Amino acid sequence: MDLEQLLNPQQLAGATFIDENLRIIAGAGSGKTRVVTYRIAYLIEDLGIDPRRILAITFTNKAANEMKERIEKVVGIKAHQCTISTIHSFCVRLLRQHINVLNYPGNFVIMDEEDQKALLKKVYQKLNIDLKAIRIKSAINFISVNKMSDIDPQKALRLYEGIDSERRKALIYQEYEAYKQKHFMLDFDDLILKATYILENYDYVLDRWQQKYDYIHVDEFQDVGDYEYRLVKLLSKKAVICVVGDPDQTIYSFRGANVNYILDFPQDFAPCKTIYLNENYRSTQNILNASNELIKNNANRLEKELFTRAEEGANVISYTAINEEKEAEYICDQIERLIHEVDGVNYSDFAILYRANYLSRPIEQALIRRAIDYRIFGGLKFFNRKEIKDALSYLRLLVNQDDLAFERIANVPARGIGQKTLESIQLCALNNQVSQYEAICFHNQEIRLSAKSKKGLKQMVMALEKARQSSKSLAAVFEELLEDVGYMEMLTGDLEENRIDNIHELQRSIEQYQQDNPEIATFENYLQDIALFTDNNAEMAKEYVSLMSIHMAKGLEFDYVFVSGLSEGVFPSYRTISQEGDDGLEEERRLAYVAFTRAKKRLYLTDSEGYNFITNSPKTGSRFIHEIGESGIERKGIKPRFVVNDLFPKKEEATNNIDWHVGDLLMHDIFGKGVVIKIDGSTLHVAFEANVGIKVLMADHKSLKLLLN
């Protein structure tokens, strides 16, 4: 095995350095999997290390399988003797052998998300809690956040005393854990929690696993959280550990990833050597230049600059349109132009990336109009999303009293209308030869209705009739209708920010339709116009443009990449920065860096003017467009405006200087009363009462005030 021919000098150093712990800082497209593959092969083939003494931990099954296949191609069947697995699979292996110390059998049951939901429904029923009062998703998140913050159910009940909604979640947490323990069930969080607990508390188990491996490898180390880090540190006390990752690609803080673990690795695992993989094998130099210029604006990082021996490549295009529709049309124009002008190019060579899923709406409509096949990854097509179907059902009911539309939204939001009540309405409509809507309007005395359902249906009818008589613009009528029927209140109460964004995007679509068609703009014509986009029967083509959020794009690459929606407040996200300050901004910039470095041949950065529902202000260009500089950049479209400081909380506003502790009660100017459940450097994890839930906030922000316990 001639590694000098197979690897560049930095890769070779990473594959063959085994004298002490090693940190490999691997830039995007720099061949990190190749290095780990040949490092393990080097240990086995060149040094004669027993493959059973080698452990490699990844964070996805896909990455684990890819590594196994690559190593097998080099060393053959010996690869099967290495332990190459996800961290959760490794924990299962450990627990099957040792969970008996916790009085669990080795054949414990592993729960997936569907199992969790089914169990929580049982718990809700036992505690007499309405599914609509506390959403399953909210309960799962509450349990996970508290569990991973070392807050057991008993401590949670003490912490949330006096905060009714959070205390009810704590009761759910208590019943959930009790049921799991009684039936020997573990969820995914339990796997790593209990494995770590056993290693930390049972020395003979720890010694056995420390003696098992001489060489440990951890991929994507920038994504490790507190428990993953503790587990790796325990296992590696007697082994040489090699971690591979890129701090500039830490984009999962919301899942618990902590960039500081890879940044501080040399201090925690001394003696340690660091090797940088800077040579990129994916992108052109102009794409790398833009990416380098962007990411150097982050302070909390390790200095490195990607380069390539490939050609300089085409300029990065930055295009600003007058509105979202024109932005989408430009993207389609470029796709069709490249398809026709460049030999061998097909739709599968293109990806359109965005910060939030609601941004796909104008792009999808433009693609459909052009008959360009596409696929949404990690979500539903815009017009297939529940909240969009609900909102359009209200419009259909407004226009033609559609029975299917009525049945969809009769109890959305909840109006006390169950299946029996709906059947009674349907029978009344059939007997009187009218629509179901007309039945509740004119024949409601024939329908058995509870006081709650009568009140709810009356509210809905009044809202629809008010909308029918309104002379306001279509977008204004739509907005008022969803407010009047209680739909927006429902989404707000459920903390469904993504769904709210989608509703606002639909409202913007209605507004744009009226602007483009002032003479014929009615809801009836609008519904006819979008009928094409709500068709679910289109067959999937073999070649298609890929649409996805940037988080979904991590680890992927495409010849041609469009990063759309680059407006300040959208990308970077207003919500992220307003809640997390400078740390949030740096993560947003890392997210942009990941997006840019997905491109191999051409990178397009697009934005548009118009109105931003997130910031309630006119759109301005993202600071990220400005930060890439001008070298190798071609500006097209209208000239973007850059206004940054007015949109985000200013640094000097953070002035409370409170020494926070877990369990402190506080008051937030907007969110109300809450309790500190976790302190993470300069940020607090706070559980608020009512429907606010858990927020991550700047610890020194002026909106926070300490309450005496």
Side-chain angles (χ1 to χ4, degrees), residues 21 40 57 61 74 91 192 232 242 252 255 265 278 307 324 343 358 365 387 399 409 525 527 707:
N21 295 329
I40 293 174
I57 292 175
N61 286 316
V74 180
C91 289
I192 191 165
V232 167
C242 169
Y252 295 117
R255 295 181 186 168
F265 184 83
N278 284 359
F307 72 93
E324 289 181 5
D343 290 340
Y358 75 88
Q365 289 188 253
E387 62 278 9
V399 168
I409 51 82
N525 287 337
L527 289 170
L707 298 177

Side-chain angles (χ1 to χ4, degrees), residues 147-183:
K147 193 185 295 188
M148 299 304 283
S149 300
D150 291 324
I151 298 174
D152 62 25
Q154 290 69 39
K155 186 175 181 181
L157 286 167
R158 294 194 300 272
L159 273 176
Y160 305 127
E161 184 69 41
I163 305 179
D164 182 60
S165 63
E166 297 306 293
R167 181 170 171 78
R168 282 196 293 164
K169 290 178 186 175
L171 288 170
I172 293 169
Y173 180 19
Q174 185 179 50
E175 288 292 332
Y176 171 85
E177 289 297 317
Y179 186 96
K180 286 199 299 98
Q181 187 168 359
K182 181 179 179 181
H183 294 85

Side-chain angles (χ1 to χ4, degrees), residues 552-564:
M552 283 295 300
K554 178 77 160 50
L556 303 178
E557 59 184 45
F558 301 88
D559 284 351
Y560 305 96
V561 171
F562 296 84
V563 184
S564 62

Side-chain angles (χ1 to χ4, degrees), residues 66 166 196 210 408 429 480 497 575 657 660 698:
E66 180 184 356
E166 297 306 293
T196 305
Q210 286 179 342
R408 181 180 181 90
E480 282 189 3
E497 291 180 344
R575 290 187 184 122
N657 295 320
W660 295 105
M698 291 179 283

Side-chain angles (χ1 to χ4, degrees), residues 293-324:
E293 287 299 310
L294 172 79
I295 202 63
K296 68 172 55 172
N297 289 278
N298 272 7
N300 196 27
R301 65 184 294 262
L302 298 171
E303 288 293 332
K304 74 174 189 305
E305 190 150 312
L306 295 178
F307 72 93
T308 181
R309 300 180 194 276
E311 60 186 17
E312 186 177 63
N315 287 338
V316 172
I317 303 295
S318 173
Y319 179 85
T320 302
I322 60 172
N323 58 40
E324 289 181 5

Side-chain angles (χ1 to χ4, degrees), residues 284-514:
T284 66
Q285 190 61 52
N286 277 333
I287 293 171
L288 297 180
N289 289 342
S291 305
N292 289 331
E293 287 299 310
L294 172 79
I295 202 63
K296 68 172 55 172
N297 289 278
N298 272 7
N300 196 27
R301 65 184 294 262
L302 298 171
E303 288 293 332
K304 74 174 189 305
E305 190 150 312
L306 295 178
F307 72 93
T308 181
R309 300 180 194 276
E311 60 186 17
E312 186 177 63
N315 287 338
V316 172
I317 303 295
S318 173
Y319 179 85
T320 302
I322 60 172
N323 58 40
E324 289 181 5
E325 280 65 33
K326 294 299 182 184
E327 179 184 359
E329 289 297 329
Y330 173 79
I331 291 172
C332 291
D333 287 343
Q334 298 312 302
I335 291 173
E336 291 187 327
R337 181 183 66 79
L338 288 164
I339 289 281
H340 291 125
E341 292 181 4
V342 182
D343 290 340
V345 175
N346 63 60
Y347 291 142
S348 298
D349 296 322
F350 296 88
I352 304 171
L353 311 181
Y354 32 76
R355 176 62 180 86
N357 286 324
Y358 75 88
L359 296 167
S360 73
R361 196 274 307 167
I363 298 168
E364 289 185 61
Q365 289 188 253
L367 290 167
I368 292 170
R369 287 193 188 100
R370 301 288 189 93
I372 297 175
D373 291 306
Y374 72 97
R375 181 183 291 181
I376 296 274
F377 288 83
L380 294 171
K381 293 185 177 182
F382 183 83
F383 287 100
N384 289 349
R385 295 168 193 168
K386 179 186 183 302
E387 62 278 9
I388 300 304
K389 287 188 170 185
D390 289 346
L392 292 177
S393 291
Y394 274 108
L395 292 187
R396 286 165 53 195
L397 199 57
L398 182 67
V399 168
N400 56 26
Q401 301 174 1
D402 185 320
D403 279 351
L404 290 177
F406 174 80
E407 290 169 7
R408 181 180 181 90
I409 51 82
N411 202 44
V412 183
R415 301 184 176 97
I417 299 174
Q419 187 58 37
K420 288 185 178 180
T421 303
L422 192 58
E423 288 173 359
S424 179
I425 295 171
Q426 292 166 344
L427 181 61
C428 176
L430 183 64
N431 290 339
N432 290 281
Q433 295 295 295
V434 295
S435 70
Q436 293 175 41
Y437 180 76
E438 289 173 309
I440 63 169
C441 289
F442 306 115
H443 303 279
N444 54 69
Q445 69 279 2
E446 302 174 26
I447 307 168
R448 289 186 178 181
L449 297 173
S450 66
K452 180 179 179 180
S453 58
K454 277 183 182 178
K455 181 180 178 181
L457 288 173
K458 182 179 179 181
Q459 179 189 12
M460 182 178 73
V461 169
M462 290 178 66
L464 285 162
E465 294 308 314
K466 174 186 172 184
R468 209 185 306 279
Q469 301 301 320
S470 179
S471 59
K472 295 181 179 179
S473 70
L474 297 185
V477 173
F478 172 80
E479 181 179 20
E480 282 189 3
L481 174 60
L482 292 195
E483 289 287 353
D484 290 345
V485 298
Y487 195 84
M488 297 308 292
E489 182 183 0
M490 178 190 74
L491 293 184
T492 302
D494 290 343
L495 303 176
E496 295 282 7
E497 291 180 344
N498 290 337
R499 295 187 186 277
I500 292 170
D501 290 344
N502 286 336
I503 292 293
H504 285 154
E505 182 58 31
L506 183 63
Q507 181 182 343
R508 210 201 64 74
S509 165
I510 294 169
E511 184 177 45
Q512 189 65 44
Y513 174 79
Q514 186 158 20

Side-chain angles (χ1 to χ4, degrees), residues 116-126 131 136:
Q116 284 183 288
K117 291 176 180 177
L119 172 52
L120 283 169
K121 287 177 182 177
K122 286 179 177 286
V123 171
Y124 277 45
Q125 190 173 18
K126 180 177 180 179
L131 283 166
I136 294 282

